[in-house]
Amino acid sequence: MAADDEISWHPAGRDVDPLGDPFLRTRFVVPARPATFLRRRRLIERLQNAGATPLVLVEGAAGAGKTLLVADWAAGLARPVAWLTVDEGVCLPGMFWAHLIKALHTADVPLPDDVGFPSDGRQVDRTLLNRLAAGLSGGSTGVTVVIDEYDKTVPEVSEQLAFVLHHAGPGMHLVLVTRTEPLLPLHRYRAAGELTEIRDGELAFTPEEAVELLDLHGLRLPLAAADDLVDRTRGWAAGLRLCALAARQSPDPEVYLKEFEAGHSTVADFLLAEVLQRQPALTQDLLLRVSVLERFCADLADTLTGRGDAAAILGELHHANAFVEDLGHSWYRLHPLFREILRVHLGERCPGLEPELHRRAAHWLRRSGALPEMVSHGAAAGDWEFTARALVDDLAIGQLFTGLRSDDLAGLFAGMEPTTTPESDLVQAARDLARHDLDRGLAHLRHAEEHLAADDACLPAAQLSCALLEALAARLSGSLSGAEQAARTARELQREVPGHLLERHPELPALLLTHVGSARLWAGHLQEARAALTVVTGDQGGASTAMPRQESLVHLALIDYLDGWPDKAQRHVSAARAEAERFSLPEHADSGLGEVVMAAVAVERDELERARTLLDRTPACETPDPVAAAGRSLVTARLLLAQGRARAALAAASTGVPTDIASPWAQGHTALVAASAHLAEGRPEAAADVLRELGTEQPACAVGMARAHLAAGDPATALGVLDALPGAPHIGPAVRVRATLVRAQAAYADGDEATARRLLTDALLAGRRDRLRRPFREAGAWITPLLARTPLRELAAGWLTPGDAAPGAADEPVAVLVEPLSEREHDVLVRLAGMMSTEEIAADLFVSVNTVKTHVKNLHRKLAVNRRTDAVRQARRLGLL
C-alpha cells in the first residue's frame, strides 16, 4: 500500500477515518456568508457576551439563520475555532468523535500524542474521551468548538459531550447549533449561569432588520410594509431571503411582497422539502389536516385525522422546531407561512376534503364551547343550519352587534344560503339589521317569528334573540312602542333561559336597554331615555358590553346638547371615545353620533372649521340610525346658518330621515333652523309662524319664538313666552344664555340700558365656562356698543372678543358680533370690497338695482355701520372677507 493511502491514527494523519470513510473537508469549514448576508449586531453582541459561559445553545427551525449567525461571529474570534457540521455519516458516537478530533486538528489545536481516533465508528472508548478532555484542559489559549446540525447526532453523543465539556474546563468553549433541544443537562447549566441561549424568538428578524436585508437585495421597502412581511413570515430568515429573491424578478416588488401566494413559491419548495417531506406519512397527514385550523390541541387534531396519536406527534414536532408553535395549555398553531403552504398542498393532495375537515372542527368546537371559532369553521364548511342554530342556542346572536368580532361574524354569514329554519332567519335578520338594512332585516325577522310561533319545542334562547332583534328594528324605525314591547318580552323570557347562558352574555341586556334608550330619545322622552342609557353606562363590564356603553354615552351626549349642556355633552363623548380606544372598537361603531355631537358643540363655540371637519368625518349611510341621521342633518344646518348660508341650512335641515314616525325634537329643531333662516333674511313674522305651528314645549323652540316676536316688534309677547319657559330644571346654559340675551335686547330696545347691562352680564357669566360664542353672535348688532364698555368688555375679553381688555381703555366698538349674513348678502359684500357700484353689482348678480340697495341696507344693519367703506372694513375685522 502506498504511503499516501495508509491510514494513520496520528493527528497528523491523512483525511480518512478508521472505517475508511474520507474526512470530507466541507464538514470542518466555517460556512461563507453570501453577499446579501446581514450582520445582526444585537445577536453578535449576545454571542460576544457569552464568553463567560462554557456552553452556548443556538436553537431554531430550519432556515432560521442559525448557522450563518454563528459563522459570522466565529470569523471574528481571536482564539482557535474548530467547526464540525454533522450529517448522517457522522451521527454515531465513533464517527462523531473521529470527526470532532479531526476538526480540532484542522483548527491547529495542539493535542497530546496519545489522543488517537476511535477504533469503531459505532462507539467510542471512554479512555479516549478522558485523554481528549485532559488535553483540552491543558491548552494555553483554549478552543471554541462549534457543532452545527447537532440535532442529527444520536443520544449517546450528548452524554459523552457533557463529560468532555465538564472535564475540559476553560480549555473548551462549546457552541451547539441545532433544530432541537439537545439531551444535555441544560437545567444544571442554567442554574449555574453557564449557559447562553439564542432561540427562535431572538433569531426572528425585526422589521428594521428586514428593511436592511431587503436593501441588500436591491429592494426599497417602507418600514410599515416590512412590518407586514415580518408578521406574515414571523421574521423567519429563509422566508425573508426567498421572498426577496423572488420579488427582485417582479415588476412591482412591494406589491409582490405584500400579496405573494405562499403556496406556489420558492418558500413553499423550501418548507415542503425541508420540513414536510422529512416527516413520516402519518405526521404529514396530520399536518395537512390541521392546516385548516388557526389553533389546535391533540384531541381536536385527532378528530380531524380519525386517529389517536396527535399528542405524541405534536410534542415531537414542537421539540424539533418543525414550525409547530406551542401556545401553552396543550394548544398549538402552525407557522403562518407553513400553514398557507400546507392548505394549498392539502387541496392538491386531497381535493374536496377541506369542507369535511371544517365540519368536524365546527362540531368539536361546538362541544367545547369555543363559539367564535365554531362559527368560522361552520361557515367554511357551508353547514349553515348547524352554525346558525349553535349561535342562537348559545344566545350569542348579540355578538353581531358588540363591535369586537361583529364584522368578522357578519362577513362569515355573508355567503349564507337561504334556509327554512328560524335560527337561520334570525341570523340573517341580525346581519341585515347590523348594516341598518331595515327592510331586509324585518323580512327575515317576520319569517323567523312565524316559524317560532308554529314550533312548540323552540328554545327560549331563540325567542329571546328574536326579542333583541325586534328592539333593534323598532329603534331603527323610530317606534318607541315596539322597542318597549320587545324589552318587556325579553324580560319575561329571561326567566326561562338557563342562568349560565345569561351570565355568559351580558351584552344582551345592555343592547336591549341601549335600543330602548335610543327609541325613547327619538320619541322626545329625554329624561326617560337618560334613565335607561345611564343604566348601561353604569355597567363596568368588560369587552362584551363596551359597544353598548359607547353608544349609550354618545346618546347621553346628544341629550345633553338638546338640553343645552355642551360641556356635559363633550365629557360624555370623551368617555365614549375612551371606551372605543380601550377595547379597540371599530371606527364609527356609534354611527358617527359622537362626531356629530362634538360638531354641534363646536358650532355653539363658533369653531366653525372644526365643526366642518368633524361632520366630514361622519359616515354616510343610505339607511342610517335615525337619531344619528337627524342629528347630523340638524348640526349641518346649524353650521350653515352660522356661515350665513340660510337657504342651504333650510335644505340641510329638511333632509328626510327614513322613519315613518316623526321625532318631536328633530321636528322642533328643524323648525328652529327655519325660523333662524327667516330671521337672517329679515322675516320675523315668518319665523314666528313656523314655530307657532309647532308649539313651544321645547325650551330651545320657546326661546326661538321669543326672538321672533322681539324681532317683529312685540317685546311683551316675547317676554311672556320666556316667562312660561318649559322644563326649567333641565335647561342648560346654551338655552339660558339665549333666553337672557332676548330679555337684555328687549330692555335695551325699551331704553332700560341698566337692565340690559345687568342681563348681559348674567349671559356672559353663564356662557364663559362653556365658551358659548354662537348665542352672542346671533344676538345682533345692538350688543356691540354695550360690550365695548367696562366691565362687560373685561368679561368678554379672551374668549368672546379677541385680546385682553384693560381697565380704563377707550370705549371703542369691538368688531366681533354680527347677525349672520345671507348667501346673497355675502355675494354683495364681496363685490362691495371689489369697489363695484350698485349698478355693476346688479348686472353681475342678474338682480335689480333696488334689490342690491336692500341687501346693502341689511349689511349696514347687521354690521352696525352706516357707510359702504365701513361695512367692508368691519367685514374684514370679522373675517367675513
Side-chain angles (χ1 to χ4, degrees):
M1 182 179 292
D4 286 347
D5 295 329
E6 292 179 354
I7 297 176
S8 172
W9 298 106
H10 190 273
R14 303 304 180 201
D15 291 347
V16 293
D17 68 13
L19 300 181
D21 184 28
F23 282 126
L24 300 177
R25 293 183 182 276
T26 53
R27 293 170 177 163
F28 312 112
V29 175
V30 178
R33 278 84 68 210
T36 55
F37 174 76
L38 176 68
R39 192 165 204 263
R40 294 196 279 169
R41 296 171 183 81
R42 62 182 176 89
L43 297 179
I44 293 296
E45 288 176 4
R46 290 269 286 119
L47 290 171
Q48 289 172 343
N49 295 332
T53 62
L55 178 60
V56 176
L57 178 64
V58 182
E59 178 190 350
K66 310 179 295 296
T67 299
L68 291 180
L69 167 67
V70 175
D72 185 40
W73 165 72
L77 291 179
R79 68 192 304 185
V81 177
W83 186 286
L84 172 61
T85 300
V86 178
D87 56 30
E88 290 78 4
V90 185
C91 61
L92 296 177
M95 298 297 292
F96 173 82
W97 287 104
H99 281 77
L100 185 55
I101 292 170
K102 177 60 182 175
L104 292 167
H105 289 316
T106 303
D108 295 326
V109 177
L111 293 175
D113 292 340
D114 59 354
V115 177
F117 287 92
S119 59
D120 186 342
R122 292 168 297 179
Q123 57 188 355
V124 63
D125 186 80
R126 196 75 171 188
T127 303
L128 185 149
L129 298 181
N130 286 331
R131 292 171 180 170
L132 177 61
L136 291 173
S137 67
S140 58
T141 59
V143 60
T144 295
V145 176
V146 179
I147 305 177
D148 191 16
E149 299 198 44
Y150 182 76
D151 48 280
K152 294 180 179 177
T153 61
V154 296
E156 295 92 328
V157 169
S158 292
E159 179 185 355
Q160 297 160 2
L161 190 61
F163 170 82
V164 172
L165 178 63
H166 174 70
H167 291 286
M172 179 179 175
H173 183 61
L174 179 61
V175 181
L176 300 181
V177 183
T178 176
R179 293 189 188 183
T180 63
E181 188 170 285
L183 296 176
L184 295 170
L186 298 181
H187 62 284
R188 296 179 185 172
Y189 289 101
R190 291 190 187 104
E194 296 178 342
L195 173 64
T196 297
E197 299 175 82
I198 298 178
R199 296 181 181 264
D200 253 343
E202 288 182 276
L203 290 168
F205 274 64
T206 66
E208 292 77 11
E209 289 171 339
V211 169
E212 292 184 61
L213 178 66
L214 293 169
D215 186 63
L216 290 172
H217 287 78
L219 302 174
R220 303 291 184 270
L221 200 66
L223 184 60
D227 193 26
D228 292 337
L229 182 61
V230 167
D231 185 58
R232 188 176 178 190
T233 61
R234 292 277 199 275
W236 177 45
L240 290 171
R241 286 193 173 92
L242 291 170
C243 287
L245 291 171
R248 289 169 61 178
Q249 310 303 317
S250 171
D252 192 334
E254 185 174 342
V255 171
Y256 174 85
L257 291 172
K258 182 179 181 181
E259 301 177 355
F260 74 92
E261 296 181 12
H264 299 92
S265 65
T266 54
V267 180
D269 297 338
F270 180 93
L271 284 174
L272 291 175
E274 291 293 321
V275 182
L276 183 67
Q277 292 170 7
R278 290 191 176 194
Q279 306 300 331
L282 291 179
T283 300
Q284 291 188 35
D285 178 69
L286 182 145
L287 285 169
L288 288 169
R289 288 171 181 259
V290 298
S291 69
V292 303
L293 301 167
E294 291 281 351
R295 63 186 188 115
F296 46 88
C297 63
D299 190 42
L300 177 53
D302 285 337
T303 299
L304 268 57
T305 62
R307 308 194 308 264
D309 55 0
I313 291 176
L314 292 174
E316 291 173 3
L317 289 169
H318 173 63
H319 179 73
N321 278 316
F323 293 85
V324 175
E325 303 171 9
D326 189 347
L327 300 177
H329 305 288
S330 301
W331 282 84
Y332 300 87
R333 70 179 176 189
L334 297 174
H335 184 287
L337 276 181
F338 193 34
R339 180 173 177 242
E340 285 184 57
I341 293 162
L342 289 175
R343 288 194 69 173
V344 172
H345 202 55
L346 171 67
E348 295 171 351
R349 183 184 289 189
C350 309
L353 178 60
E354 190 167 337
E356 172 60 19
L357 295 175
H358 282 298
R359 188 191 66 79
R360 293 185 192 180
H363 284 260
W364 187 93
L365 291 163
R366 173 71 177 122
R367 293 192 300 272
S368 69
L371 190 73
E373 292 170 280
M374 180 282 298
V375 172
S376 177
H377 288 288
D383 196 347
W384 299 113
E385 290 190 11
F386 167 80
T387 307
R389 186 177 301 110
L391 192 70
V392 172
D393 289 350
D394 197 78
L395 205 60
I397 203 166
Q399 291 185 1
L400 283 163
F401 308 98
T402 61
L404 302 175
R405 296 191 70 247
S406 52
D407 289 343
D408 294 339
L409 288 172
L412 290 173
F413 283 104
M416 188 173 184
E417 300 171 359
T419 58
T420 57
T421 65
E423 293 85 1
S424 299
D425 274 319
L426 286 173
V427 171
Q428 288 175 314
R431 183 195 63 192
D432 294 331
L433 293 174
R435 300 196 307 252
H436 295 165
D437 190 340
L438 185 58
D439 292 337
R440 289 172 61 89
L442 282 173
H444 287 299
L445 193 54
R446 297 296 169 254
H447 288 156
E449 289 172 339
E450 291 172 5
H451 287 126
L452 291 174
D455 185 2
D456 295 334
C458 72
L459 295 174
Q463 295 175 319
L464 186 52
S465 299
C466 188
L468 171 66
L469 298 181
E470 284 284 5
L472 175 55
R475 166 187 170 179
L476 295 178
S477 61
S479 173
L480 175 58
S481 60
E484 296 280 13
Q485 179 57 50
R488 285 192 294 270
T489 301
R491 283 193 291 270
E492 294 171 2
L493 288 168
Q494 286 180 28
R495 303 189 188 100
E496 304 176 32
V497 174
H500 69 277
L501 279 183
L502 292 174
E503 290 175 3
R504 280 213 309 263
H505 296 290
E507 72 274 3
L508 190 139
L511 287 167
L512 274 169
L513 273 177
T514 302
H515 300 332
V516 170
S518 181
R520 288 176 179 174
L521 170 54
W522 181 254
H525 301 172
L526 301 190
Q527 302 318 311
E528 292 85 346
R530 186 187 294 276
L533 297 167
T534 302
V535 173
V536 180
T537 60
D539 170 29
Q540 299 302 314
S544 62
T545 55
M547 189 163 171
R549 284 198 302 275
Q550 184 204 25
E551 277 204 292
S552 294
L553 284 165
V554 295
H555 278 71
L556 287 171
L558 179 58
I559 294 172
D560 291 332
Y561 169 73
L562 294 175
D563 281 342
W565 299 89
D567 194 53
K568 289 183 179 179
Q570 182 177 1
R571 289 200 297 271
H572 272 128
V573 173
S574 297
R577 288 175 175 172
E579 286 289 311
E581 292 174 5
R582 179 185 174 196
F583 294 101
S584 301
L585 296 178
E587 187 178 10
H588 298 311
D590 61 356
S591 299
L593 185 56
E595 303 282 357
V596 167
V597 173
M598 289 306 298
V601 172
V603 171
E604 287 294 278
R605 293 171 176 170
D606 210 42
E607 299 166 354
L608 304 187
E609 285 299 322
R610 172 172 167 74
R612 181 74 269 167
T613 300
L614 289 165
L615 287 173
D616 288 343
R617 290 210 301 252
T618 59
C621 183
E622 294 181 1
T623 53
D625 181 283
V627 170
R632 191 183 195 283
S633 296
L634 293 171
V635 175
T636 300
R638 291 293 314 280
L639 174 59
L640 292 169
L641 273 176
Q643 293 172 333
R645 301 169 60 189
R647 296 175 189 173
L650 280 172
S654 59
T655 301
V657 178
T659 58
D660 296 329
I661 303 172
S663 169
W665 62 264
Q667 286 183 317
H669 281 263
T670 300
L672 193 56
V673 168
S676 298
H678 285 309
L679 287 175
E681 298 282 355
R683 295 185 297 274
E685 294 83 1
D689 289 341
V690 168
L691 292 170
R692 190 178 296 111
E693 292 177 5
L694 191 69
T696 57
E697 293 182 1
Q698 298 180 58
C701 292
V703 174
M705 174 73 81
R707 281 190 65 206
H709 283 299
L710 184 60
D714 188 0
T717 302
L719 295 175
V721 171
L722 294 180
D723 290 340
L725 199 63
H730 305 292
I731 294 176
V735 178
R736 283 189 281 107
V737 166
R738 285 182 169 87
T740 304
L741 287 173
V742 172
R743 293 184 184 276
Q745 184 178 359
Y748 187 75
D750 195 39
D752 188 354
E753 185 172 325
T755 300
R757 289 168 63 85
R758 176 179 58 78
L759 290 169
L760 186 53
T761 299
D762 293 342
L764 287 169
L765 291 171
R768 182 165 56 181
R769 179 184 176 189
D770 289 302
R771 304 190 304 282
L772 297 174
R773 303 182 185 93
R774 180 48 39 191
F776 297 91
R777 302 282 194 265
E778 296 169 351
W782 67 270
I783 202 173
T784 303
L786 294 180
L787 283 179
R789 305 169 189 165
T790 55
L792 294 179
R793 185 174 60 177
E794 296 173 2
L795 287 175
W799 67 275
L800 182 60
T801 60
D804 296 324
D811 293 337
E812 297 178 359
V814 183
V816 290
L817 301 172
V818 296
E819 185 177 342
L821 304 182
S822 68
E823 290 182 72
R824 185 47 58 93
E825 287 166 354
H826 188 269
D827 291 338
V828 171
L829 178 63
V830 170
R831 285 157 179 80
L832 288 177
M835 304 299 291
M836 293 175 67
S837 67
T838 303
E839 291 74 18
E840 289 172 335
I841 295 173
D844 196 47
L845 294 178
F846 299 98
V847 296
S848 69
V849 172
N850 287 334
T851 300
V852 174
K853 290 180 178 179
T854 301
H855 288 316
V856 171
K857 182 180 178 181
N858 288 337
L859 285 171
H860 290 172
R861 175 178 59 83
K862 293 182 178 182
L863 295 171
V865 296
N866 296 315
R867 296 183 302 175
R868 290 187 176 197
T869 53
D870 290 338
V872 172
R873 188 178 298 110
Q874 185 84 317
R876 292 192 191 283
R877 291 195 195 112
L878 294 167
L880 298 175
L881 290 171

